[in-house]
Amino acid sequence: MSEARFCLLIIGGYGTFGGRLAQLLGDEPRLRLLVAGRSLEKADDFVADLRSPKDGAEGLGSNNLGALVQAVRFDRDGDLPEQLTRMRPHLVVDASGPFQSFGKHAYKLVEACIDLGIDYADIADSTGFVAGVSGLDAAAKAKGTFALSGLSSLPALSFAALEAMAPHFSRIDSVAAGIAPSSHVRIGLNVVRAIASYAGKKIVVRRDGRPAAGRGLIDAMRLTVAAPGAAPLRSRKFLLVDAPDLALLPTRFADLKSSFTGVGTEPQPLQRLLGFAARLVHLRLLPSLLPFARLLQRASHAFAVGENRGGMFVRVGGLDHAGQRLTSGWHLIAEGDDGPFIPVIGVDALVRRLLTGVRPESGARPAAGELRLEDFEAAFRRFQITSGIRMEHEEARQPLYRQILGSAWEQLPPAISALHAGGARVASGRARIERGGGLLARIVAGVIGFPRAGEDVPVTVRFVPDGDKEIWTRDFGGKIFRSLQLEGKGRDRHLLTEVFGPFRVLMALVPDGEKLRLVVRGWRFCGIPLPLFLAPGGDTYEEERDGRFHFHVEIGGRLTGLVVRYTGWLVVE
């Protein structure tokens, strides 16, 4: 039975990323998975864990479910032809690394695979390694095999997102990409070593249309990762990292003027400390951060605080086909522990395509552009991963909610999108109003001007655009109160900001089936940031019910209790 299966050898198969690849592909009965590494004992332990029932379900290696999973010993410094000939894989995936430190014989595994007619892929993140694999192109074509390097977040996924946005541009001037891992991810030692190897060192980037010397983990940009339809991550700085995109982008876009690839880790104080250490290397007060790699790894594990969410972005700037300035951003957010699967999703997609008989062209090359964004998005559906694109024209701004939601706007039910279609408009309907009874709740309600409690109250809402803002005037049975809505700026970008008197509430717009939820992400009083745990909250959403727009608004907090709750329906006149 095993001979009829497609044989996949995963080097580093029990490591941070190789292990996740084995988990992803373990449900595929057409596969024979060889989980490989220098330690057979560790490989055996990993495979035994895969085969163990999880939450009452059968393990991946059971006789009647999923792939045939086997532990094998593989030494990349040993006799490669002998090991590969004995194991007879159809595809070798190198998920080990760090690829930055492979030395002058960096491609000996790739060469051994090509010589034996075995296909090869890796998740390398080293600029030099990924770009240099093209030197084996002629040999791979002669053998009828492929060797794809960098089938990871950078450059395979970043280029897939870039190619999805490129048709909207007549000229692309700038590209920036970055990864924001969750602070709860237990980063592998090889990943830390890779980052430490170039901290404070020269990294070639693009500036003013020419190659320039960037400084690893020192040069920075600030950005808020905000996938359309998901609550944004906290705004953070991204520090420059060495990534294959930096070498590949100028060959793809001849007019490219600037490029950047970065990492934004949490907690940010720990990242600032890392940036300080990189400056010591840059000033030659330290030779390298490599000797501190294990200490850095332990520190990252010790300070696993904050939200267990991660993300990624690709931001493009240039001219559209009308010659107007255009900025486009693709953003991704992964919830919980799903983020670390992203670097191997490209390999997962490649293997599943191979199983259907779809092969990449023969040759050795970087994996940039090898997969489409749709290939990744199909795999994202197995996880709590949200991604999407925003287009920002300088001259023609879109309606407020559409601007903030980006591609997630298309998920909205018609009744909700009609209410937020932009322009001057009026909507009317009926509402039920409840008020909190506490003293502080009554004071807050009085300051803002919320209506009194009532049943079946007539309500009218007038929307008046004012530049990039909207003025909302609500009339509940003759009791009027106003608020101002706009998109947040700077660190609050991609959040809906609503101003009630001296209060400013920051909310994420999150589509949820037939509902659009408004999730509080921050607040201000007279411009002063206040603790999030004291922010006014409650279950606030809009929904379409029986073809009509309905609203459910709760405002309250730990200190005030319920301030006001109003529910009802509206019809745009």
Side-chain angles (χ1 to χ4, degrees), residues 426-440:
V426 177
S428 58
R430 312 294 290 187
R432 178 177 184 269
I433 306 164
E434 301 172 67
R435 285 278 294 267
L439 175 62
L440 189 55

Side-chain angles (χ1 to χ4, degrees), residues 78-158:
D79 188 338
L80 296 178
E82 186 278 328
Q83 295 177 88
L84 293 171
T85 301
R86 172 164 42 84
M87 296 176 188
R88 294 182 294 173
H90 296 98
L91 173 67
V92 171
V93 173
D94 193 349
S96 58
F99 293 86
Q100 287 85 348
S101 61
F102 278 175
K104 62 180 180 179
H105 299 299
Y107 299 105
K108 61 183 180 180
L109 175 60
V110 190
E111 292 167 341
C113 289
I114 291 173
D115 288 343
L116 294 172
I118 299 171
D119 293 322
Y120 168 91
D122 64 45
I123 58 170
D125 57 356
S126 165
T127 299
F129 186 92
V130 173
V133 78
S134 296
L136 302 174
D137 186 54
K141 287 179 177 176
K143 285 287 189 175
T145 64
F146 64 80
L148 302 177
S149 185
L151 201 62
S152 186
S153 304
L154 303 172
L157 176 52
S158 56

